[in-house]
Each structure stands twice: as C-alpha cells, then as structure tokens.
Amino acid sequence: MTDTQGHPARPPGPQPPGSLCLVTGATGYIGGRLVPELITAGHRVRCLARTPEKLRDHPWAGQAEIVRGDVTDAASLAAALRGVDVAYYLVHALGSGRDFEETDRRAARTFADQARAAGVRRIVYLGGLVPRGVPDRDLSPHLRSRAEVGRILLDSGIPTTVLRAAVIIGSGSASFEMLRYLTERLPVMVTPSWVRTRIQPIAVRDVLRYLVGSATMPGHVSRAFDIGGPEVLTYLDMMRRYADVDGLPRRLILPVPVLTPRLSSHWVGLVTPVPRSIARPLAESLKYEVVCDEHDIADWVPDPPGTPISFDRALSLALQKVRDAQVDTRWSSASVPGTPSDPLPTDPDWAGGSLYTDVRERIVDAPPQALWRVVEGIGGENGWYSFPLAWAVRGWLDRLIGGVGLRRGRRDATLLRIGDSLDFWRVEEIERGRLLRLRAEMRLPGLAWLEMYAEHDDEGRTRYRQRALFHPRGMAGHAYWWSVSPFHALVFGGMARNIARTAEATAGRPHPAGGPAPGAES
C-alpha cells in the first residue's frame, strides 16, 4: 500500500509529542473538543477565534494560548501561525449565504498561503465523505465545498491530512440531535426517501482520535483518508437502532418519494432543534450513499481494541452524556452565520443611532446568590418566567422564517459559559454572580440584547435589574419595536417579577451538584 505520492505506507516512526498546534474553529463543536484532547496528548495548543472571549470559560482555557483572528484575514493568520507545527482547519461557511462556497474557497486559499509562509509542518482538515462516482456538479453545495477545500489544502505544498467523515455521532452533534429528536418525537413518521440511503456513521471519539493522531504523521504522507465506524446503515436503520438503545417503542417509518431535500429540511427544522439553514445541507448530503472506500488511516493511527466504536455504543455514550448534563460542546456552540457581531451599545459612549431600552428592577427578599442561581438557570427546560405562550409563539415564528427558534435549549442545566447557545439567545458575557448578558440570534430587523443583574442597592438590599436593548435597522426595525412594546409589561415585567419570586421561594435550597455555588469563583 502506498500513499498518494507513491511512498510505501508504513506506521509512523516514534515522534515525540509537544508540537505547537493551531486550532481554528475552537468555538465550534469539534474544535472545542479537540483542544483538550491535544493537551492531554502532550501538545501545546494555540486557538484562533474571532471572539476569544467565547473561550474564556472553557475548562481548558488556562492551558491554551488564545489569539484573536479570522481565517479570511491574512494578517491575523500570519501572526497566529507563527511558530506553529501543525495547523487544524476546522471552519466552514455553511449557511452564511448563497456565496458560502466562494467564502470557503477564499478562506482555504488564504490559510494555505499563510501556513506555507509560516513554515507549518502539517495541515489537518476534517471534511465530508464524498460519494464515489458522483461528479462534483451533482453534489450538494455543502459536500462540494468541503471537497474543494480539501483539494486546496492538499495542493498547498504542505503535507496535509484530510479526514473525510459522514455522519458524526456524539452528544451535541447536529447529526445526533437530528436523529434524536426525529426518533423521540415522532412515533409515526412519513419520511423522505433518503432514509433508505446507506451511510457509514462514526463516533465523535474516533474522529477526535484520528485528528490527534494526524499530528504525528510523517512528512511524506499527504492525502485524504475516509473515516467511519464499523457499520454501514441506512438512516432508517439508525432511527430504529436509536429507539432500541433509548428504550422507545418501535417507530413506524413510512418513506415517501415526494419529500425533496428542500421540503424535508423544513420538516426537520420544525421537529428538531436544528434550524433549516443547517438541516438542509445535512439532508442534501444524505441524497447519495456515503460509505468509506478504505480504512488506510489505521496504518498511521492504529485502532486500539474496541475501536472504531460501534453505532450502538456511540449512541449509548452520547445519551449518557445528555442525561448526565455533561455535553462539552454542541452543534450550536459555533455562532449562527449571519447573526450580529457588532459591539454592545454600552452606556454612555455609544453613538450608533436609535437605541430602545426596557428596564425593570425588583427588590428581592433573598441573598444575591439565590437570585443568581435563578438567573443562570434561565431558559431551556426552566423557561423564561413569563407568558410561556408568547415565548413559544415567538420561537415558532422564528423557525418558520428560517431562524433557530427556542429548541436549542441549554448545553448544561445549571451553568452557563460565554459562547453558549441559550434557546434563541447567545451568552455574550458573564460576570459570575452578578451579570448575564445575552445577544439575540432570532430573526430581527435590528440587534437585540437582554441583560440580567443580581446586585445590591444603596441600602444593601438584593436588587434584580433587567435591561432589554434594541438597535433597529431601518424603518422595519422601528416598526417592530413599537408593535411589540405594548406586550413588554406582560413579558418583561412578568419575567422580572417571577424571577424575583422564584429566587425568594428557593433561597434556602442548596445549589445543585456539579458546579460552583452561585457567585463563587469558577
């Protein structure tokens, strides 16, 4: 067996760990899990992030260097790649608009150019498994772009490892969430014909093992590798196996040919937390059979006993993580493409035009720690403490126009960290024990934030302060604010009142295990 350059394939010689690894996409699902694995393997890690603050609360943040930058910005890339041995490319522009393929292409070329100039020893890229015998023009835009990025990086002149995976099964992955919610919520399903497509899923633990192992491949290896689990299944098989593993009654599944990927993405978007912008490329990618042609990766990253992990075992591991509330990262860890990135219009130095605010304050007969516990536990299963129907309707409307809706829930039941998705919000700032600031990611004609404070007033009493901010975009934005403002007393007023009441009612209860007490250092 040889690699693509004609060199004889052989296991890599002993190469000591300790390489400096740059991880792009560290705020995303795979990147956020790869960083601690690289650290555990003895590597030094540098993370490139557009918003480094999003990584501040990760358990490994103190063990990695975090730098600000963007893969489309050559100057920031040049600085981030300085001294790097292995560069992980884990970003893509999926869902960022019709021109996402051009964005992916430009970013990959910029990354390749800067990596070559910096003397990087190896590039590692996680792409998609491409169906054999299908011309690029017939592939989904998602798979076509992934394949093109892989070729660009392989042509960079730097030894490159391209790992091509189909469906990744792990707690919080988009593929797992889609499978989970479809199976749990629909005992009887009329499904698209792609549920009969053959797929080779892979456990996220195996993906991470291959990514880490790629860092020590010898320099003459520069090629793509198919990676997959030990079983080839249809999506129909996967749903039925999920029901078995989760102890659900057998599902009745009726495939029909009339549900196109476009129509089925609407269906998936309505039933699962995965928004249409992500569900559609996932559905389109299932149109063709995606099965590994080879398992050559094992020549360079040998499989330990019990690996690759079976599909049922991958499901069990993922479900256990969900039940134990130990989901490290989720598909929604990465910001939703197209959501606002402008700075918060802080007082008093913001001069960006109109800014509407709604401020509510309540004196709370409970210590600030009890109030903070309620604030940090907001959203997800706990809801938003006011007019549940109004919040639900707003979530449904957002889903109907292609937004994320309320179904993303929370990564953790009690603790939040910067960058977490929280229903249709994103955690933008936490001053633990005092401030939670959320940025809206629902579809809006403007930018919106919600701030919640647990603090003392001038008399030493506990005060809950809540501030909603809206920066309108055009006349539609102004019209939106004034159309919903009559409901603010009901929604925002009720929210402040019920948060205060809940804090008072639960003040004597101990903080749930698994995290620091409210207000404590973490």
Side-chain angles (χ1 to χ4, degrees):
M1 187 178 296
T2 62
D3 67 17
T4 54
Q5 294 181 346
H7 298 283
R10 63 181 188 276
Q15 297 192 25
S19 300
L20 176 57
C21 300
L22 177 72
V23 177
T24 64
T27 59
Y29 177 71
I30 293 293
R33 296 186 178 210
L34 175 61
V35 172
E37 296 292 329
L38 288 170
I39 293 170
T40 299
H43 298 291
R44 294 170 294 135
V45 178
R46 179 182 296 161
C47 301
L48 179 73
R50 285 178 295 180
T51 310
E53 295 79 11
K54 288 184 178 180
L55 300 176
R56 189 186 72 193
D57 294 333
H58 284 255
W60 46 259
Q63 300 172 269
E65 180 187 358
I66 301 173
V67 298
R68 188 183 303 275
D70 190 284
V71 292
T72 60
D73 177 29
S76 66
L77 266 180
L81 286 162
R82 192 171 297 122
V84 166
D85 300 299
V86 181
Y88 285 88
Y89 192 79
L90 302 175
V91 296
H92 58 91
L94 173 65
S96 61
R98 294 183 179 180
D99 61 346
F100 83 90
E101 289 183 84
E102 174 56 32
T103 302
D104 271 341
R105 185 179 303 119
R106 185 176 68 254
R109 287 173 177 165
T110 302
F111 188 84
D113 290 345
Q114 295 305 316
R116 185 170 55 250
V120 169
R121 177 171 60 81
R122 175 166 297 277
I123 294 173
V124 182
Y125 170 60
L126 178 61
L129 190 57
V130 178
R132 59 178 178 265
V134 179
D136 279 1
R137 65 177 179 276
D138 294 335
L139 294 174
S140 71
H142 165 59
L143 275 183
R144 185 169 60 237
S145 183
R146 289 293 187 94
E148 183 183 18
V149 167
R151 289 193 296 269
I152 290 171
L153 297 177
L154 283 167
D155 292 341
S156 66
I158 300 170
T160 297
T161 302
V162 173
L163 302 177
R164 301 187 298 202
V167 170
I168 297 176
I169 300 298
S171 59
S173 76
S175 297
F176 173 74
E177 296 271 295
M178 193 166 99
L179 175 66
R180 173 189 171 200
Y181 280 89
L182 286 176
T183 309
E184 287 182 354
R185 291 181 171 176
L186 298 177
V188 179
M189 283 179 266
V190 176
T191 61
S193 57
W194 51 250
V195 297
R196 296 194 183 279
T197 301
R198 296 171 74 239
I199 306 161
Q200 193 163 350
I202 182 171
V204 68
R205 294 191 183 194
D206 282 324
V207 174
L208 294 170
R209 182 169 58 82
Y210 292 138
L211 284 167
V212 173
S214 295
T216 55
M217 282 186 177
H220 66 265
V221 177
S222 186
R223 55 165 289 187
F225 295 92
D226 294 351
I227 59 172
E231 299 160 277
V232 176
L233 305 165
T234 67
Y235 208 88
L236 186 67
D237 295 330
M238 290 166 61
M239 287 190 285
R240 286 175 172 162
R241 295 271 284 273
Y242 181 97
D244 289 341
V245 170
D246 199 27
L248 300 172
R250 185 174 178 84
R251 271 33 193 163
L252 179 60
I253 301 169
L254 307 172
V256 295
V258 295
L259 283 176
T260 64
R262 180 183 178 87
L263 288 174
S264 60
S265 69
H266 286 276
W267 168 66
V268 170
L270 288 173
V271 175
T272 80
V274 182
R276 191 168 70 240
S277 60
I278 295 177
R280 183 173 180 182
L282 288 177
E284 287 175 336
S285 299
L286 295 170
K287 181 179 178 182
Y288 296 106
E289 181 177 281
V290 277
V291 177
C292 296
D293 281 339
E294 40 81 14
H295 188 54
D296 296 350
I297 188 67
D299 293 336
W300 310 105
V301 186
D303 294 323
T307 59
I309 296 169
S310 71
F311 179 72
D312 286 1
R313 175 64 175 155
L315 287 180
S316 296
L317 291 168
L319 282 167
Q320 192 61 50
K321 284 277 192 178
V322 171
R323 289 165 182 157
D324 292 345
Q326 293 179 346
V327 179
D328 299 318
T329 61
R330 298 180 67 210
W331 61 269
S332 54
S333 297
S335 296
V336 174
T339 53
S341 57
D342 294 357
L344 174 77
T346 53
D347 296 333
D349 58 351
W350 187 73
S354 300
L355 180 66
Y356 294 113
T357 63
D358 182 279
V359 179
R360 310 278 167 169
E361 293 186 358
R362 302 277 303 189
I363 299 300
V364 183
D365 186 18
Q369 292 89 347
L371 175 57
W372 176 255
R373 184 165 61 209
V374 178
V375 168
E376 192 173 8
I378 202 166
E381 295 297 323
N382 292 327
W384 292 88
Y385 292 96
S386 70
F387 202 1
L389 180 60
W391 287 91
V393 168
R394 185 64 184 87
W396 295 334
L397 291 175
D398 196 53
R399 302 286 291 188
L400 287 173
I401 59 176
V404 295
L406 280 174
R407 289 191 182 139
R408 293 191 302 186
R410 299 172 54 107
R411 178 192 57 83
D412 185 281
T414 57
L415 297 175
L416 294 173
R417 64 190 185 201
I418 291 178
D420 274 359
S421 60
L422 181 58
D423 292 328
F424 48 37
W425 303 90
R426 176 81 53 182
V427 179
E428 185 173 83
E429 181 58 88
I430 298 177
E431 295 178 22
R432 203 163 299 281
R434 177 181 173 270
L435 164 67
L436 174 64
R437 179 186 300 139
L438 307 176
R439 178 193 291 273
E441 289 192 336
M442 72 283 278
R443 296 296 180 92
L444 288 171
L447 310 176
W449 294 262
L450 179 62
E451 294 180 331
M452 289 166 276
Y453 295 83
E455 56 192 12
H456 289 293
D457 68 3
D458 294 339
E459 299 178 24
R461 299 173 298 179
T462 300
R463 177 174 62 191
Y464 173 66
R465 184 160 61 94
Q466 175 183 295
R467 187 168 73 138
L469 304 98
F470 183 69
H471 173 40
R473 184 184 300 119
M475 289 304 298
H478 292 279
Y480 172 82
W481 176 264
W482 289 111
S483 67
V484 299
S485 59
F487 302 100
H488 285 174
L490 187 62
V491 175
F492 290 135
M495 181 178 176
R497 182 172 59 253
N498 291 328
I499 285 176
R501 287 176 176 173
T502 303
E504 292 168 347
T506 60
R509 297 181 189 175
H511 187 66
E521 293 297 323
S522 63

